[in-house]
Amino acid sequence: WERNAVWRDELTLWQDCVTKSPGKARPHNNLGLALVAQDQLDEGIGHYYEALRLDPGSDQYHYNLGVALGEKGRIEEAIAWYRDALQINPHLVGARNNLGNAMLAQGKFDEAIRHYSVALQADPYSSEVHYNLGNLYKAVDRLDEAAAEYKKALSLHPGLTDAINNLAVVYIMRERYEEALPLYTEMIARHPDNYVGYYNMACLYARQNRVNEAIAWLTQAVRRGFNDWNLLKNDEDLENIRDTSYFAGLMAGNKDEQ
């Protein structure tokens, strides 16, 4: 009974293990995971460092520390720990993927592609890596390849909303509106209370100069909580409805928040 109380959650369990076995690496690592999961990043990072002091040869401990540092915004440090993890295990998919993401964010596209490609060699069924590779191809305007990667991600994870959305964006960039429409329809069906799908529908119709339909979808987005008035003011996709009385009234009613 007393032991069950100790095990009532992951955090308490691993705190107890660290107290009883402070010289073992695994309890420190797992306590770090539990702390990071509860957004206690600094304390979690401290336990990752202790796990690595006790077991410096663990690729997973290096990777976990990199993830936590990345969440803190300490990107260069995170990159260094991902690279250390890959020195130990070149096929560690999570580290390859995250390093690819970091390179993409820094505009180092060739290096990002290399890391994503190696990750997919190790795990060709990773929807996350296919999705991220799609994002890279979209960023460099290789839109056919981007669409192919988003489709692969969705074949592996059909409910991956970000991939549904970004595939639709690629179709819109190519003015293939009829192919984007069912994707946004699916987004709304999956997440009927989320304004994103409704806003994107408004953009889709506005780009086609279908003003009344665009306004109807934008109205639905606002009713569901859309309130990014600066985006609304500057989004080029909505150019065709900016001269309407509806749009002027919407912006005037939220002038103080812009």
Side-chain angles (χ1 to χ4, degrees), residues 3-19:
R3 193 61 177 170
N4 288 340
V6 169
W7 287 0
R8 67 181 179 272
D9 60 52
E10 288 289 307
L11 183 57
T12 303
L13 167 63
W14 292 111
Q15 284 172 333
D16 183 64
C17 289
V18 165
T19 298

PDB file of all heavy atoms in Angstrom, residues 3-19:
ATOM      1  N   ARG A   3       3.928   1.469  -1.001  1.00  0.00           N
ATOM      2  CA  ARG A   3       4.656   1.541  -2.271  1.00  0.00           C
ATOM      3  C   ARG A   3       3.743   2.042  -3.385  1.00  0.00           C
ATOM      4  O   ARG A   3       4.150   2.812  -4.252  1.00  0.00           O
ATOM      5  CB  ARG A   3       5.204   0.149  -2.638  1.00  0.00           C
ATOM      6  CG  ARG A   3       6.226   0.183  -3.774  1.00  0.00           C
ATOM      7  CD  ARG A   3       7.444   1.008  -3.405  1.00  0.00           C
ATOM      8  NE  ARG A   3       8.443   0.984  -4.457  1.00  0.00           N
ATOM      9  CZ  ARG A   3       9.507   1.751  -4.483  1.00  0.00           C
ATOM     10  NH1 ARG A   3       9.723   2.601  -3.503  1.00  0.00           N
ATOM     11  NH2 ARG A   3      10.372   1.683  -5.458  1.00  0.00           N
ATOM     12  N   ASN A   4       2.471   1.658  -3.388  1.00  0.00           N
ATOM     13  CA  ASN A   4       1.531   2.141  -4.384  1.00  0.00           C
ATOM     14  C   ASN A   4       1.405   3.657  -4.314  1.00  0.00           C
ATOM     15  O   ASN A   4       1.268   4.337  -5.338  1.00  0.00           O
ATOM     16  CB  ASN A   4       0.158   1.501  -4.192  1.00  0.00           C
ATOM     17  CG  ASN A   4       0.166   0.045  -4.614  1.00  0.00           C
ATOM     18  OD1 ASN A   4       1.047  -0.379  -5.362  1.00  0.00           O
ATOM     19  ND2 ASN A   4      -0.797  -0.718  -4.135  1.00  0.00           N
ATOM     20  N   ALA A   5       1.447   4.221  -3.122  1.00  0.00           N
ATOM     21  CA  ALA A   5       1.378   5.670  -2.970  1.00  0.00           C
ATOM     22  C   ALA A   5       2.595   6.325  -3.609  1.00  0.00           C
ATOM     23  O   ALA A   5       2.501   7.379  -4.235  1.00  0.00           O
ATOM     24  CB  ALA A   5       1.281   6.041  -1.499  1.00  0.00           C
ATOM     25  N   VAL A   6       3.744   5.695  -3.455  1.00  0.00           N
ATOM     26  CA  VAL A   6       4.968   6.234  -4.050  1.00  0.00           C
ATOM     27  C   VAL A   6       4.885   6.221  -5.573  1.00  0.00           C
ATOM     28  O   VAL A   6       5.352   7.136  -6.255  1.00  0.00           O
ATOM     29  CB  VAL A   6       6.191   5.423  -3.570  1.00  0.00           C
ATOM     30  CG1 VAL A   6       7.438   5.788  -4.372  1.00  0.00           C
ATOM     31  CG2 VAL A   6       6.436   5.664  -2.079  1.00  0.00           C
ATOM     32  N   TRP A   7       4.262   5.211  -6.134  1.00  0.00           N
ATOM     33  CA  TRP A   7       4.203   5.034  -7.578  1.00  0.00           C
ATOM     34  C   TRP A   7       2.994   5.736  -8.217  1.00  0.00           C
ATOM     35  O   TRP A   7       2.644   5.443  -9.341  1.00  0.00           O
ATOM     36  CB  TRP A   7       4.140   3.539  -7.914  1.00  0.00           C
ATOM     37  CG  TRP A   7       5.442   2.837  -7.708  1.00  0.00           C
ATOM     38  CD1 TRP A   7       6.616   3.370  -7.272  1.00  0.00           C
ATOM     39  CD2 TRP A   7       5.701   1.457  -7.928  1.00  0.00           C
ATOM     40  NE1 TRP A   7       7.601   2.414  -7.197  1.00  0.00           N
ATOM     41  CE2 TRP A   7       7.060   1.210  -7.595  1.00  0.00           C
ATOM     42  CE3 TRP A   7       4.944   0.384  -8.369  1.00  0.00           C
ATOM     43  CZ2 TRP A   7       7.657  -0.025  -7.697  1.00  0.00           C
ATOM     44  CZ3 TRP A   7       5.529  -0.860  -8.477  1.00  0.00           C
ATOM     45  CH2 TRP A   7       6.870  -1.077  -8.141  1.00  0.00           C
ATOM     46  N   ARG A   8       2.362   6.635  -7.511  1.00  0.00           N
ATOM     47  CA  ARG A   8       1.105   7.179  -8.034  1.00  0.00           C
ATOM     48  C   ARG A   8       1.301   7.993  -9.313  1.00  0.00           C
ATOM     49  O   ARG A   8       0.369   8.195 -10.067  1.00  0.00           O
ATOM     50  CB  ARG A   8       0.411   8.027  -6.978  1.00  0.00           C
ATOM     51  CG  ARG A   8       1.126   9.320  -6.595  1.00  0.00           C
ATOM     52  CD  ARG A   8       0.347  10.063  -5.511  1.00  0.00           C
ATOM     53  NE  ARG A   8       1.005  11.293  -5.111  1.00  0.00           N
ATOM     54  CZ  ARG A   8       1.913  11.373  -4.176  1.00  0.00           C
ATOM     55  NH1 ARG A   8       2.294  10.282  -3.528  1.00  0.00           N
ATOM     56  NH2 ARG A   8       2.465  12.528  -3.871  1.00  0.00           N
ATOM     57  N   ASP A   9       2.502   8.477  -9.569  1.00  0.00           N
ATOM     58  CA  ASP A   9       2.778   9.121 -10.849  1.00  0.00           C
ATOM     59  C   ASP A   9       4.267   8.992 -11.149  1.00  0.00           C
ATOM     60  O   ASP A   9       5.075   8.650 -10.281  1.00  0.00           O
ATOM     61  CB  ASP A   9       2.328  10.587 -10.859  1.00  0.00           C
ATOM     62  CG  ASP A   9       3.027  11.421  -9.787  1.00  0.00           C
ATOM     63  OD1 ASP A   9       4.269  11.384  -9.733  1.00  0.00           O
ATOM     64  OD2 ASP A   9       2.316  12.100  -9.023  1.00  0.00           O
ATOM     65  N   GLU A  10       4.605   9.277 -12.426  1.00  0.00           N
ATOM     66  CA  GLU A  10       5.986   9.106 -12.878  1.00  0.00           C
ATOM     67  C   GLU A  10       6.959   9.992 -12.097  1.00  0.00           C
ATOM     68  O   GLU A  10       8.054   9.557 -11.742  1.00  0.00           O
ATOM     69  CB  GLU A  10       6.074   9.424 -14.369  1.00  0.00           C
ATOM     70  CG  GLU A  10       5.454   8.390 -15.279  1.00  0.00           C
ATOM     71  CD  GLU A  10       6.261   7.111 -15.333  1.00  0.00           C
ATOM     72  OE1 GLU A  10       7.469   7.174 -15.606  1.00  0.00           O
ATOM     73  OE2 GLU A  10       5.680   6.046 -15.079  1.00  0.00           O
ATOM     74  N   LEU A  11       6.557  11.202 -11.821  1.00  0.00           N
ATOM     75  CA  LEU A  11       7.448  12.120 -11.129  1.00  0.00           C
ATOM     76  C   LEU A  11       7.796  11.608  -9.737  1.00  0.00           C
ATOM     77  O   LEU A  11       8.975  11.536  -9.354  1.00  0.00           O
ATOM     78  CB  LEU A  11       6.798  13.503 -11.040  1.00  0.00           C
ATOM     79  CG  LEU A  11       7.644  14.613 -10.407  1.00  0.00           C
ATOM     80  CD1 LEU A  11       8.961  14.793 -11.140  1.00  0.00           C
ATOM     81  CD2 LEU A  11       6.857  15.916 -10.375  1.00  0.00           C
ATOM     82  N   THR A  12       6.788  11.213  -8.997  1.00  0.00           N
ATOM     83  CA  THR A  12       7.024  10.712  -7.643  1.00  0.00           C
ATOM     84  C   THR A  12       7.831   9.420  -7.671  1.00  0.00           C
ATOM     85  O   THR A  12       8.728   9.214  -6.844  1.00  0.00           O
ATOM     86  CB  THR A  12       5.684  10.481  -6.922  1.00  0.00           C
ATOM     87  OG1 THR A  12       4.959  11.703  -6.917  1.00  0.00           O
ATOM     88  CG2 THR A  12       5.906  10.029  -5.489  1.00  0.00           C
ATOM     89  N   LEU A  13       7.525   8.554  -8.626  1.00  0.00           N
ATOM     90  CA  LEU A  13       8.248   7.288  -8.750  1.00  0.00           C
ATOM     91  C   LEU A  13       9.740   7.529  -8.918  1.00  0.00           C
ATOM     92  O   LEU A  13      10.566   6.958  -8.190  1.00  0.00           O
ATOM     93  CB  LEU A  13       7.699   6.489  -9.939  1.00  0.00           C
ATOM     94  CG  LEU A  13       8.542   5.284 -10.395  1.00  0.00           C
ATOM     95  CD1 LEU A  13       8.644   4.240  -9.303  1.00  0.00           C
ATOM     96  CD2 LEU A  13       7.967   4.688 -11.672  1.00  0.00           C
ATOM     97  N   TRP A  14      10.109   8.396  -9.871  1.00  0.00           N
ATOM     98  CA  TRP A  14      11.531   8.563 -10.162  1.00  0.00           C
ATOM     99  C   TRP A  14      12.234   9.440  -9.132  1.00  0.00           C
ATOM    100  O   TRP A  14      13.441   9.288  -8.907  1.00  0.00           O
ATOM    101  CB  TRP A  14      11.715   9.079 -11.585  1.00  0.00           C
ATOM    102  CG  TRP A  14      11.299   8.027 -12.576  1.00  0.00           C
ATOM    103  CD1 TRP A  14      10.222   8.048 -13.407  1.00  0.00           C
ATOM    104  CD2 TRP A  14      11.937   6.761 -12.765  1.00  0.00           C
ATOM    105  NE1 TRP A  14      10.144   6.874 -14.119  1.00  0.00           N
ATOM    106  CE2 TRP A  14      11.180   6.068 -13.749  1.00  0.00           C
ATOM    107  CE3 TRP A  14      13.057   6.135 -12.216  1.00  0.00           C
ATOM    108  CZ2 TRP A  14      11.526   4.792 -14.182  1.00  0.00           C
ATOM    109  CZ3 TRP A  14      13.392   4.863 -12.652  1.00  0.00           C
ATOM    110  CH2 TRP A  14      12.639   4.206 -13.619  1.00  0.00           C
ATOM    111  N   GLN A  15      11.506  10.322  -8.472  1.00  0.00           N
ATOM    112  CA  GLN A  15      12.100  11.027  -7.333  1.00  0.00           C
ATOM    113  C   GLN A  15      12.481  10.036  -6.235  1.00  0.00           C
ATOM    114  O   GLN A  15      13.554  10.142  -5.633  1.00  0.00           O
ATOM    115  CB  GLN A  15      11.117  12.070  -6.793  1.00  0.00           C
ATOM    116  CG  GLN A  15      11.000  13.314  -7.649  1.00  0.00           C
ATOM    117  CD  GLN A  15       9.889  14.240  -7.200  1.00  0.00           C
ATOM    118  OE1 GLN A  15       8.898  13.800  -6.598  1.00  0.00           O
ATOM    119  NE2 GLN A  15      10.030  15.518  -7.473  1.00  0.00           N
ATOM    120  N   ASP A  16      11.609   9.082  -6.013  1.00  0.00           N
ATOM    121  CA  ASP A  16      11.886   8.051  -5.011  1.00  0.00           C
ATOM    122  C   ASP A  16      13.090   7.205  -5.422  1.00  0.00           C
ATOM    123  O   ASP A  16      13.958   6.894  -4.593  1.00  0.00           O
ATOM    124  CB  ASP A  16      10.645   7.173  -4.829  1.00  0.00           C
ATOM    125  CG  ASP A  16      10.836   6.122  -3.757  1.00  0.00           C
ATOM    126  OD1 ASP A  16      11.013   6.491  -2.584  1.00  0.00           O
ATOM    127  OD2 ASP A  16      10.809   4.920  -4.106  1.00  0.00           O
ATOM    128  N   CYS A  17      13.164   6.856  -6.716  1.00  0.00           N
ATOM    129  CA  CYS A  17      14.280   6.044  -7.198  1.00  0.00           C
ATOM    130  C   CYS A  17      15.609   6.785  -7.085  1.00  0.00           C
ATOM    131  O   CYS A  17      16.636   6.201  -6.712  1.00  0.00           O
ATOM    132  CB  CYS A  17      14.038   5.625  -8.648  1.00  0.00           C
ATOM    133  SG  CYS A  17      12.729   4.398  -8.853  1.00  0.00           S
ATOM    134  N   VAL A  18      15.598   8.091  -7.405  1.00  0.00           N
ATOM    135  CA  VAL A  18      16.825   8.877  -7.293  1.00  0.00           C
ATOM    136  C   VAL A  18      17.262   8.983  -5.843  1.00  0.00           C
ATOM    137  O   VAL A  18      18.458   8.893  -5.521  1.00  0.00           O
ATOM    138  CB  VAL A  18      16.621  10.274  -7.919  1.00  0.00           C
ATOM    139  CG1 VAL A  18      17.741  11.226  -7.502  1.00  0.00           C
ATOM    140  CG2 VAL A  18      16.564  10.164  -9.435  1.00  0.00           C
ATOM    141  N   THR A  19      16.303   9.126  -4.936  1.00  0.00           N
ATOM    142  CA  THR A  19      16.631   9.203  -3.509  1.00  0.00           C
ATOM    143  C   THR A  19      17.290   7.921  -3.039  1.00  0.00           C
ATOM    144  O   THR A  19      18.266   7.948  -2.280  1.00  0.00           O
ATOM    145  CB  THR A  19      15.354   9.466  -2.688  1.00  0.00           C
ATOM    146  OG1 THR A  19      14.810  10.726  -3.089  1.00  0.00           O
ATOM    147  CG2 THR A  19      15.665   9.502  -1.195  1.00  0.00           C
TER     148      THR A  19
END
